[in-house]
Amino acid sequence: MSFSATNFAQPRPVPVGIRSNEKSLSSDPFRFRFRGSPSFLGSPHSLRFNPTPPLKLAIPHSRRSPAAAVTDVSNGKMVKSSANMLFGFVLQLITKEEGLELYEDMILGRFFEDMCAQMYYRGKMFGFVHLYNGQEAVSTGFIKLLKKEDTVVSTYRDHVHALSKGVPARAVMSELFGKATGCCRGQGGSMHMFSKEHNLIGGFAFIGEGIPVATGAAFSSKYRREVLKEASADHVTLAFFGDGTCNNGQFYECLNMAALWKLPIIFVVENNLWAIGMSHLRATSDPEIWKKGPAFGMAGVHVDGMDVLKVREVAKEAIERARRGDGPTLVECETYRFRGHSLADPDELRDPAEKARYAARDPISALKKYMIENKLANEQELKSIEKKIDEVLDDAVEYSDESPLPPRSQLLENVFADPKGFGIGPDGKYRCEDPKFTQGTAHV
Amino acid sequence: MATLFQGLPSSTAFSSSNKFNHVPAPTSFSERKSSIVTVRSDARWSPVLNYATHKPQRLITNAVATKADSSLASTSSKPGHELLLFEALREGLEEEMERDPCVCVMGEDVGHYGGSYKVTKGLATKFGDLRVLDTPIAENSFTGMGIGAAMTGLRPIIEGMNMGFLLLAFNQISNNCGMLHYTSGGQFKIPVVIRGPGGVGRQLGAEHSQRLESYFQSIPGIQMVACSTPYNAKGLMKAAIRSENPVILFEHVLLYNLKDRIPDEEYVLSLEEAEMVRPGEHVTILTYSRMRYHVMQAAKTLVNKGYDPEVIDIRSLKPFDLHTIGKSVKKTHRVLIVEECMRTGGIGASLTAAITENFNDDLDAPIVCLSSQDVPTPYAGTLEEWTVVQPAQIVTAVEQLCQ
């Protein structure tokens, strides 16, 4: 039995202090009711993650299990009284179909990344591979709300963003294998996932360098609306990046421009506390990244990134704001990566206790628990989703294995959109007209 | 806007003024009657750009040294209209913006201020603040923004107020602008034009006198062109905007006030072709941008001395037009490269390598490359003058080469 959305009151933004992860987005972004010591994830002045800080309602509580709201519900506090509207609100978040979609997307992300690790250790892919395990709630929570025409920009940890945006697992896997059938013809690799069809414009290896590109995509959208007068051009852009990027100049420059011109962009910070081996607390003077939004005149929100429903909630409002033309939002998602920075990272610096704590907040288990407890789905349905994804991935691996490697003729092909850019050769003809050029053996 | 050429080295006796009627030494008839800023982009040279006339040696310049020029169509259509180089750039830009609504400009002070060298003057009023976007001072980010906009369908022209500022955008230019078409497997094209004034000006100091052609030339996936006359400025601007590739258009800070007559009809030049400035027989002189004028200055002297230099403005810095260059090398067998770039790793260095590789058998002598000294451009006028190649050096080099 599923709860339909009409059983209870319409979901509305939760007042600050109750689900204290989120600042009330509808309130003045410049004034936050959040008060209290800036003890974000433990005191910023202590270098170790403080596991049990005083639990003040005003503090963005990340230590409470994301399923807390869920357990409150399951403890039978679900009553229609106004006193418990907040719990009623929690219940209202998704329908069964939506829940299954979210679950499937997160499972796809998780299983895909696990498969990547396997394939890497079997020698099918090389180089730097950065896995997204543990952070699925952010990708799913945001990207599943987008239209196909909306744009997503990511970093090197982009496999799951690509999958959530709709790039087929086959295309991503064969790109990782370096095959010609990859989404970028094998020329991009793990850190450069692109898809014109799905409006995924990267995949960037250097941190921060995708943020201006995302700002440009948002600018395009605004330009189309205002200069080219395309009324339907309300596309939004999502830029995903990490905590380490938030100390980079490009981030701030783009916050400024986006707020200045009210660009339809959402800056999503996936704060997993670690930039390879550098703790966010050691690198940042004020570790509360969401605060940096209001400094530029835009809404800054902090959300528990291990809870897909909370992320989705925040994402909805931010996306709507952008679509309306009311400008950008900075969303900080507190999340965690279960694996190392990359498959080459020994991951020795992180405290096992910290890892265990976050493992207990696995977004997939949380959603599973939520769905089962709210009778949105049963074990079997979820298991069948997992089985389906297993098959998708087996097929993706098989497809990638069987796909051809890029031939030599591909070497020179996409350097220029207009290959005349290779210039005029000594014989007076454009170099691209040289038959050796198409064979990939021309010396340009 | 300061008048005329601000490039007169201040070490001269007449350093305090820009007025050419204070120039004592030259006695040429054509000089005396020349208007201050007239430069023919065909080979008829009115020696106004006497950067070097302060030098003690007198360059005899009274011969009309040029042969009838058939290869330049630049000012052949007499009815054209006269304008200055920055106006030609603006004209090209304006025409393209009218033609395609996706063409937009972004940069510092391009909008309300009209551009620091007035290339975009009036365009913001005409096309609006979003199409001619005044950006904050964040080169890396607004260049990246232009790249993102290009990937999603627009055709931005990104102006660096001074080319040197684009060093701050190097990350975006190298990583994104040049690479993303390839890295995305050809899915996204990046039709941006990155332009701005560079080169050694008049005592602007080291940081404002940079020549970035050498830094950018290794980036795969971009094209670089340098304009030198109003005619090719407009043509290259239009070609760059229409090109699907990212193009860096190098303008020179001292050339903005060159005046010339350009055709009324629309024309677009090829981004990959070089321009034959003066056909000749004895030696091929390859040059670009401002040095073209130093070369032509030297050519006058050389002609008087009996030499017949062939002068080619390579225009396309990347890729090189090896056809035009090769034809010339095969004819003259001697090559002199005159550039404003630094000696180390400059355009001249690459060009030397390319010519040696392709036309070694046609060379009678090693290629001589005259470049700027590998020094940060000093402020002092005398020192600054000695960092760049002067016509006298060109004359000497040709004489040596032709021995």
Side-chain angles (χ1 to χ4, degrees):
Chain A
M1 175 179 103
S2 61
F3 291 97
S4 80
T6 54
N7 280 356
F8 303 91
Q10 287 302 314
R12 55 183 165 71
V14 182
V16 167
I18 307 296
R19 293 186 54 212
S20 49
N21 284 14
E22 292 133 50
K23 308 295 151 254
S24 167
L25 297 177
S26 51
S27 69
D28 179 354
F30 291 94
R31 247 189 343 104
F32 286 85
R33 287 173 234 166
F34 163 74
R35 294 279 182 266
S37 67
S39 52
F40 176 72
L41 303 171
S43 162
H45 305 293
S46 75
L47 295 184
R48 286 206 56 92
F49 171 63
N50 182 359
T52 51
L55 196 63
K56 300 180 200 167
L57 264 183
I59 297 172
H61 68 94
S62 41
R63 261 113 355 242
R64 269 173 63 179
S65 153
V70 172
T71 42
D72 292 340
V73 167
S74 64
N75 283 349
K77 291 187 189 152
M78 174 182 67
V79 194
K80 262 207 244 184
S81 73
S82 56
N84 286 319
M85 270 319 291
L86 51 121
F87 298 114
F89 157 61
V90 166
L91 250 188
Q92 266 316 275
L93 288 174
I94 47 170
T95 63
K96 173 178 179 148
E97 292 71 33
E98 287 169 349
L100 291 178
E101 188 196 1
L102 297 180
Y103 189 77
E104 182 171 333
D105 193 53
M106 292 207 286
I107 288 286
L108 174 61
R110 177 68 59 88
F111 284 20
F112 187 94
E113 299 293 70
D114 285 339
M115 184 64 85
C116 275
Q118 255 193 66
M119 294 295 118
Y120 189 85
Y121 293 126
R122 281 196 210 169
K124 299 279 182 73
M125 58 178 86
F126 302 93
F128 292 127
V129 180
H130 307 85
L131 299 182
Y132 202 73
N133 297 49
Q135 301 182 194
E136 295 87 0
V138 180
S139 177
T140 301
F142 268 96
I143 299 181
K144 283 303 165 196
L145 290 171
L146 295 180
K147 300 191 286 195
K148 195 170 188 190
E149 301 80 22
D150 294 322
T151 306
V152 167
V153 172
S154 179
T155 59
Y156 44 74
R157 208 180 294 282
D158 56 351
H159 308 165
V160 179
H161 294 135
L163 295 169
S164 293
K165 195 63 172 64
V167 183
R170 277 183 165 192
V172 182
M173 189 62 84
S174 42
E175 180 63 29
L176 292 170
F177 281 32
K179 300 292 177 89
T181 48
C183 55
C184 299
R185 308 178 79 198
Q187 289 168 191
S190 166
M191 301 187 280
H192 302 101
M193 293 292 166
F194 286 83
S195 169
K196 190 153 177 83
E197 188 195 335
H198 300 278
N199 288 300
L200 171 71
I201 52 175
F204 292 92
F206 284 21
I207 59 153
E209 71 177 0
I211 306 178
V213 176
T215 310
F219 177 81
S220 247
S221 176
K222 185 180 168 89
Y223 188 97
R224 281 179 198 287
R225 206 185 208 169
E226 295 185 13
V227 176
L228 301 180
K229 308 281 192 244
E230 291 172 20
S232 62
D234 61 352
H235 311 143
V236 307
T237 304
L238 252 50
F240 290 92
F241 47 93
D243 45 288
T245 309
C246 294
N247 291 324
N248 190 280
Q250 287 171 106
F251 169 60
Y252 296 106
E253 290 175 358
C254 290
L255 285 184
N256 177 45
M257 293 199 289
L260 180 66
W261 297 317
K262 287 197 156 189
L263 299 181
I265 184 172
I266 299 135
F267 298 99
V268 184
V269 183
E270 294 170 321
N271 184 355
N272 57 21
L273 302 180
W274 291 88
I276 309 188
M278 187 65 166
S279 155
H280 176 60
L281 305 175
R282 285 183 73 216
T284 317
S285 54
D286 183 351
E288 296 180 275
I289 301 169
W290 59 267
K291 273 189 188 169
K292 304 185 186 190
F296 288 90
M298 70 172 83
V301 188
H302 176 266
V303 68
D304 176 2
M306 304 304 274
D307 179 344
V308 68
L309 301 180
K310 289 181 185 163
V311 172
R312 191 180 156 92
E313 190 58 34
V314 166
K316 234 183 240 176
E317 176 139 357
I319 291 171
E320 267 160 35
R321 172 183 294 118
R323 250 191 244 296
R324 270 197 315 269
D326 278 345
T329 314
L330 174 65
V331 181
E332 179 185 357
C333 304
E334 182 204 334
T335 181
Y336 202 76
R337 50 171 165 82
F338 294 157
R339 291 182 181 265
H341 165 74
S342 71
L343 288 174
D345 175 18
D347 195 16
E348 288 157 347
L349 282 180
R350 300 194 299 174
D351 181 13
E354 177 189 90
K355 293 189 209 177
R357 234 179 345 262
Y358 277 99
R361 292 166 59 186
D362 186 333
I364 292 178
S365 337
L367 182 64
K368 182 171 183 173
K369 187 160 189 235
Y370 176 87
M371 301 238 291
I372 289 176
E373 282 167 0
N374 288 284
K375 314 269 193 302
L376 289 177
N378 58 34
E379 272 295 339
Q380 210 169 336
E381 284 169 316
L382 300 182
K383 272 270 173 308
S384 73
I385 287 179
E386 289 170 25
K387 187 160 175 301
K388 173 180 160 200
I389 296 296
D390 272 330
E391 283 166 15
V392 166
L393 288 179
D394 284 337
D395 166 76
V397 171
E398 196 184 314
Y399 174 78
S400 307
D401 267 334
E402 288 168 6
S403 293
L405 287 164
R408 178 126 196 199
S409 55
Q410 203 181 299
L411 180 65
L412 303 170
E413 261 172 34
N414 300 123
V415 180
F416 287 105
D418 176 4
K420 296 218 291 284
F422 278 116
I424 301 174
D427 56 3
K429 289 199 300 207
Y430 276 101
R431 290 202 143 103
C432 53
E433 292 163 352
D434 175 2
K436 286 223 211 100
F437 181 85
T438 42
Q439 289 165 17
T441 51
H443 190 66
V444 285
Chain B
M1 176 94 188
T3 57
L4 312 177
F5 301 101
Q6 301 172 36
L8 281 184
S10 58
S11 61
T12 67
F14 38 93
S15 59
S16 56
S17 77
N18 280 343
K19 299 195 179 88
F20 289 86
N21 52 15
H22 284 195
V23 173
T27 54
S28 88
F29 166 71
S30 51
E31 274 176 314
R32 278 201 299 274
K33 76 172 176 117
S34 68
S35 63
I36 298 295
V37 291
T38 303
V39 170
R40 294 280 170 216
S41 49
D42 60 21
R44 285 191 299 285
W45 174 248
S46 310
V48 180
L49 282 161
N50 319 354
Y51 299 121
T53 51
H54 66 283
K55 285 235 156 98
Q57 75 187 84
R58 295 189 352 159
L59 297 173
I60 302 156
T61 50
N62 59 354
V64 175
T66 59
K67 297 197 169 142
D69 194 275
S70 57
S71 58
L72 271 191
S74 56
T75 54
S76 53
S77 49
K78 258 304 148 184
H81 53 285
E82 263 196 343
L83 40 51
L84 305 179
L85 194 145
F86 76 89
E87 290 169 342
L89 287 167
R90 190 201 310 152
E91 214 176 78
L93 186 47
E94 200 171 338
E95 282 174 16
E96 290 304 302
M97 287 180 81
E98 278 165 2
R99 178 178 174 269
D100 182 353
C102 287
V103 176
C104 55
V105 184
M106 48 183 79
E108 293 157 13
D109 272 331
V110 295
H112 295 187
Y113 194 75
S116 55
Y117 290 91
K118 300 296 173 240
V119 174
T120 48
K121 186 170 178 192
L123 297 183
T125 328
K126 184 169 176 186
F127 295 109
D129 277 348
L130 209 56
R131 268 191 96 179
V132 186
L133 185 72
D134 278 322
T135 62
I137 306 174
E139 277 80 7
N140 199 21
S141 294
F142 71 69
T143 304
M145 191 172 96
I147 291 166
M151 289 167 80
T152 44
L154 300 186
R155 305 186 78 92
I157 292 133
I158 301 165
E159 171 171 320
M161 190 184 266
N162 184 285
M163 265 291 173
F165 300 170
L166 292 182
L167 286 174
L168 290 151
F170 208 103
N171 177 21
Q172 292 291 338
I173 295 174
S174 170
N175 282 340
N176 289 348
C177 186
M179 287 190 194
L180 288 187
H181 184 73
Y182 194 78
T183 317
S184 66
Q187 292 181 79
F188 291 97
K189 61 181 175 90
I190 305 167
V192 295
V193 177
I194 298 173
R195 50 159 292 269
V200 175
R202 183 179 179 238
Q203 296 192 249
L204 299 178
E207 284 154 333
H208 285 81
S209 308
Q210 295 187 77
R211 290 124 281 167
L212 296 197
E213 337 34 298
S214 55
Y215 304 168
F216 289 134
Q217 68 175 322
S218 303
I219 300 173
I222 56 157
Q223 280 186 255
M224 306 197 309
V225 286
C227 63
S228 49
T229 64
Y231 177 74
N232 65 33
K234 179 176 173 185
L236 290 175
M237 171 72 95
K238 287 170 75 88
I241 295 171
R242 291 191 195 188
S243 170
E244 301 298 322
N245 298 333
V247 179
I248 305 184
L249 171 57
F250 290 91
E251 301 153 14
H252 198 287
V253 67
L254 294 182
L255 299 183
Y256 279 127
N257 284 325
L258 284 184
K259 190 187 227 177
D260 201 356
R261 185 171 284 278
I262 64 169
D264 288 328
E265 339 45 276
E266 194 182 27
Y267 65 95
V268 180
L269 294 176
S270 165
L271 287 174
E272 296 86 24
E273 282 176 21
E275 183 179 322
M276 177 68 71
V277 182
R278 181 192 188 281
E281 295 290 329
H282 291 163
V283 59
T284 299
I285 306 182
L286 302 172
T287 183
Y288 65 92
S289 192
R290 175 200 176 191
M291 286 297 124
R292 168 184 171 142
Y293 297 97
H294 281 208
V295 167
M296 292 311 293
Q297 178 88 18
K300 292 228 115 190
T301 312
L302 287 168
V303 166
N304 284 342
K305 293 189 177 191
Y307 295 96
D308 187 18
E310 177 154 293
V311 180
I312 295 177
D313 181 342
I314 60 173
R315 257 178 19 194
S316 173
L317 306 181
K318 178 184 163 114
F320 296 130
D321 176 2
L322 286 183
H323 178 61
T324 308
I325 293 171
K327 257 190 356 195
S328 179
V329 172
K330 290 185 171 133
K331 184 165 56 155
T332 67
H333 310 295
R334 287 181 172 80
V335 178
L336 171 68
I337 300 171
V338 180
E339 57 162 1
E340 198 174 329
C341 216
M342 256 81 72
R343 176 143 213 85
T344 306
I347 299 289
S350 298
L351 194 47
T352 305
I355 296 172
T356 312
E357 210 168 74
N358 287 290
F359 309 116
N360 195 37
D361 290 338
D362 299 301
L363 290 171
D364 282 348
I367 300 171
V368 177
C369 181
L370 297 179
S371 333
S372 296
Q373 299 282 353
D374 275 343
V375 294
T377 310
Y379 165 75
T382 33
L383 294 177
E384 180 186 72
E385 187 201 318
W386 291 322
T387 57
V388 296
V389 179
Q390 300 296 341
Q393 291 166 265
I394 302 172
V395 172
T396 315
V398 170
E399 285 171 342
Q400 279 179 337
L401 196 51
C402 290
Q403 267 162 10

